[in-house]
Amino acid sequence: MAGVLAGAGLVLLVGPAEAGNKPPKPPKHTKTVPVRLLSLNDFHGNLEPPTGSSGRMVDETGATVDAGGAAYAATHLKQMSDKNTLKVAQGDLIGASPLISAAFHDEPSVEFLGKVGVTVSAVGNHEFDEGYTELKRIMNGGCHPVDGCSPAGKWKGAQYSYLGANVLLKRPNSSAEKAALDALGGGNSSSLRSLLKGYGIPALPPVAIRWMNGVPIGFIGLVTKTTPTIVTSEGIKDLEFVDEVKAANVASKLLQIVGVKAQVVLVHEGDQVTAGQSPDACAAQPGAGNRIATQVDAEVDMVLSGHSHQAYLCKVTDPKGGTRLYSQGGSFGRVITKVDFQVDVKTRDVVRSSVVADNQIVTRTVTPDKDISDFVTLWKDRVASVANRPLGKITADITNSAAASGESSLGNLIADGQLAATRTGGNAQIALMNPGGVRANLTYAGSPALEGDGVVTYGEAFTVQPFNNLMQAVTLTGAQLKTVLEQQFTGGPNNQAFTKILQPSSNFTYTYSTSAPWGSKISNMKIDGVAVTDTQSIRVAANNFLVGGGDAFLAFQGGTDLWSGPLDIDAFAAYFAANPSITPPVPNHITVVP
């Protein structure tokens, strides 16, 4: 565990080897020393290799390859590590996780990340999925207050430090503030008190210091300021999420006060990209992430980002005209960002001209790490009882067999569950499900142990939707929604290979013509029986694969006000909990005319 140099609130952290000791000296007779960062973002508990589109990446040659999996990531990390390496992360390491991790409140994933040597991470919005109190338990240890200890015993806490400089306590008491200032202490107290005035007391450590080759590297952790709009409000009711740039600048000055000039921002916010680009290209379209990367204090040498699940390597300009790295490494453990640079021994600052970055795909062509493979197998065995948990009942088979219109009973059911899961928070009005994501039927016979009684287990539901996609919601105009539906058919500019009918939630109806030309096929769109106009705004729920333009539905990329919610499988399970006995929906929401 890292040594803590201050109490609650504003704290500095140092690496384990230096806690309580004098800082090490750099090697003699050298002007610069090397540092390597290996970073992950948006791991989302993907201990097992992710499947479907979530388990593939476009590599540097333009080829799409299988990627991800903890055992493979461990091998790649070992191969890329040397004596100059620090491993870091940019949040959403947990939350919206597959069953193997989520069933145990993500303790297995946090343990894995400690095993491979992650030393510091920004918090992401999903770190707050179960609330601030639960996040502190994950950080510090102890058994879950409701579910108790996992099969591994009492949780010991994360082996890495979570940072959140822009996460403040709404109502800090004077003792918490005094403890933070006193713990930092010495001649710095007045400077720190002045720095905090008008800012606030962080609820999490804002910065961490790690020493490498005799020089200190300062890390600033940030999470998207939109977090309150995308997590449950009750769990963060005591917290305030302030502007990322403002918080980063305060944290940067804090590091400067204690003499740390080599500074790295780890931020859980990022940008979308132009599709199909190399992970090493600067394909990012300037947005919320770019604003942070270009506006934070010029003392910050690089900005490693997350949240948008994209891969890019960019050079941006800081407020004083300097150049700095702005990067992100995809999601689900499919990419490791490697950053090499030199630090000037005399000035203790990064030599920015020395920065070289590479997004390396976590391919599955390497030998998986045996220790981590055994670790994942252990948790897979432990989760078996969860997989057999009954969710509810069906009155008959619910299949993905397409009706004449292209919709299916199971597709409609999944879309209804997705709509229910995204109404609160995402304000969704309709939901659309890609038919290729419905991978199996729900049969009344079910498993042999439950044959004939219509029980659906969690494991059976997971087999139907095994891709661990996130539920999202975006705002589309009526005209954009019509374009999305036009993109179901061949003949358009997206080169749709064959007709793919999106599965609609039951409250959304429309008509399509088999003979009309592309662009004029869709008509009579209605939500809850009310006609849709071209100019109205509609909140549309879909999984992150579709929202990102998957299956050639590129019009989704024009959506605004992106909101991310639960995993699709969790949305499905919640729908069963609310509707314990489900009759197969009638797939009659789409009317087909010549």
Side-chain angles (χ1 to χ4, degrees):
M1 296 289 288
V4 179
L5 295 188
L10 186 60
V11 301
L12 287 178
L13 302 173
V14 297
E18 292 76 44
N21 298 327
K22 292 182 178 180
K25 294 182 179 180
K28 293 182 178 180
H29 311 300
T30 184
K31 292 183 179 180
T32 63
V33 291
V35 177
R36 171 172 290 178
L37 301 182
L38 299 178
S39 79
L40 290 165
N41 59 274
D42 298 273
F43 182 65
H44 286 292
N46 278 265
L47 295 172
E48 296 182 279
T51 56
S53 61
S54 294
R56 296 190 291 267
M57 282 294 296
V58 175
D59 68 12
E60 293 86 345
T61 70
T64 299
V65 299
D66 291 336
Y72 297 105
T75 295
H76 282 277
L77 286 167
K78 283 184 178 179
Q79 291 177 347
M80 285 189 278
S81 295
D82 59 21
K83 64 181 181 179
N84 310 309
T85 299
L86 294 169
K87 297 164 187 170
V88 300
Q90 293 93 261
D92 274 12
L93 305 181
I94 61 176
S97 305
L99 184 60
I100 188 175
S101 184
F104 306 105
H105 301 280
D106 282 312
E107 291 175 19
S109 292
V110 177
E111 184 176 352
F112 156 70
L113 293 161
K115 283 179 177 292
V116 296
V118 172
T119 183
V120 62
S121 175
V123 289
N125 54 283
H126 278 285
E127 264 79 14
F128 294 94
D129 279 353
E130 295 188 54
Y132 176 52
T133 299
E134 170 64 5
L135 173 58
K136 289 191 292 183
R137 186 190 73 84
I138 289 294
M139 293 168 62
N140 301 322
C143 295
H144 191 272
V146 176
D147 295 336
C149 294
S150 81
K154 184 177 180 180
W155 174 239
K156 296 178 181 179
Q159 292 181 273
Y160 55 91
S161 304
Y162 265 126
L163 308 180
N166 65 324
V167 186
L168 307 182
L169 294 172
K170 283 184 178 179
R171 292 171 290 275
N173 56 46
S174 58
S175 61
E177 182 175 358
K178 185 176 185 301
L181 293 169
D182 287 349
L184 281 167
N188 291 327
S189 291
S190 60
S191 298
L192 291 168
R193 187 172 286 107
S194 175
L195 189 63
L196 290 175
K197 187 177 181 181
Y199 178 66
I201 301 297
L204 298 167
V207 298
I209 300 170
R210 299 291 185 262
W211 291 81
M212 179 55 65
N213 292 326
V215 295
I217 312 297
F219 295 94
I220 299 167
L222 303 167
V223 63
T224 173
K225 65 182 178 181
T226 67
T227 296
T229 68
I230 50 180
V231 302
T232 303
S233 59
E234 178 63 22
I236 57 169
K237 63 183 179 181
D238 297 323
L239 305 179
E240 179 183 4
F241 294 79
V242 301
D243 182 77
E244 304 95 341
V245 173
K246 176 183 176 182
N249 290 346
V250 172
S252 176
K253 288 182 172 59
L254 168 61
L255 289 172
Q256 292 174 55
I257 287 172
V258 295
V260 179
K261 295 185 177 179
Q263 298 184 10
V264 179
V265 161
L266 306 172
V267 56
H268 191 71
E269 181 61 281
D271 293 324
Q272 298 300 316
V273 300
T274 303
Q277 300 293 301
S278 163
D280 292 334
C282 183
Q285 301 170 357
N290 181 272
R291 180 187 75 88
I292 298 165
T294 56
Q295 293 184 13
V296 294
D297 196 294
E299 190 66 36
V300 172
D301 296 293
M302 60 192 72
V303 177
L304 311 185
S305 70
H307 190 48
S308 58
H309 292 204
Q310 306 299 333
Y312 49 80
L313 297 175
C314 295
K315 290 182 179 180
V316 297
T317 303
D318 70 27
K320 290 186 177 180
T323 298
R324 61 185 169 204
L325 172 69
Y326 169 48
S327 71
Q328 188 176 159
S331 62
F332 306 144
R334 295 174 295 170
V335 177
I336 296 168
T337 303
K338 181 178 73 170
V339 185
D340 287 303
F341 57 93
Q342 298 285 322
V343 178
D344 188 293
V345 170
K346 184 176 181 180
T347 65
R348 288 186 166 186
D349 208 349
V350 172
V351 180
R352 293 198 192 177
S353 61
S354 71
V355 176
V356 177
D358 182 20
N359 271 336
Q360 298 206 3
I361 307 298
V362 177
T363 62
R364 300 179 195 167
T365 55
V366 298
T367 301
D369 183 271
K370 184 180 185 305
D371 288 342
I372 298 301
S373 290
D374 291 345
F375 174 79
V376 173
T377 298
L378 175 64
W379 284 103
K380 187 175 181 179
D381 292 341
R382 286 169 170 171
V383 82
S385 61
V386 178
N388 294 329
R389 175 171 59 91
L391 296 182
K393 289 189 175 185
I394 54 177
T395 62
D397 291 353
I398 305 180
T399 75
N400 60 0
S401 299
S405 63
E407 58 182 321
S408 70
S409 291
L410 188 50
N412 291 156
L413 175 62
I414 291 171
D416 285 343
Q418 292 180 345
L419 178 58
T422 54
R423 281 191 185 275
T424 300
N427 299 316
Q429 296 167 267
I430 65 169
L432 297 170
M433 173 64 185
N434 57 308
V438 186
R439 307 298 289 185
N441 298 321
L442 286 179
T443 60
Y444 186 80
S447 65
L450 302 170
E451 186 172 354
D453 64 1
V455 171
V456 175
T457 66
Y458 195 98
E460 290 167 340
F462 195 84
T463 301
V464 170
Q465 293 188 92
F467 297 123
N468 300 309
N469 287 317
L470 292 175
M471 286 312 306
Q472 297 185 316
V474 292
T475 298
L476 298 175
T477 65
Q480 288 174 316
L481 176 58
K482 181 179 182 298
T483 300
V484 166
L485 299 179
E486 292 283 347
Q487 290 174 345
Q488 297 175 120
F489 305 98
T490 59
N494 300 340
N495 296 316
Q496 186 70 273
F498 53 89
T499 296
K500 298 176 183 177
I501 300 299
L502 297 172
Q503 308 296 291
S505 53
S506 297
N507 68 329
F508 179 54
T509 60
Y510 67 93
T511 298
Y512 73 77
S513 168
T514 57
S515 61
W518 194 95
S520 300
K521 287 182 173 292
I522 303 300
S523 62
N524 200 31
M525 294 189 298
K526 293 182 180 179
I527 299 175
D528 296 317
V530 179
V532 172
T533 67
D534 284 349
T535 57
Q536 78 179 88
S537 295
I538 304 161
R539 293 291 288 169
V540 180
N543 59 47
N544 61 291
F545 171 68
L546 279 178
V547 170
D551 274 347
F553 289 99
L554 300 185
F556 263 114
Q557 294 179 335
T560 59
D561 298 325
L562 175 69
W563 175 90
S564 295
L567 281 174
D568 50 10
I569 180 62
D570 291 339
F572 200 36
Y575 194 69
F576 271 99
N579 303 275
S581 181
I582 293 177
T583 299
V586 178
N588 60 356
H589 308 99
I590 303 172
T591 300
V592 182
V593 298

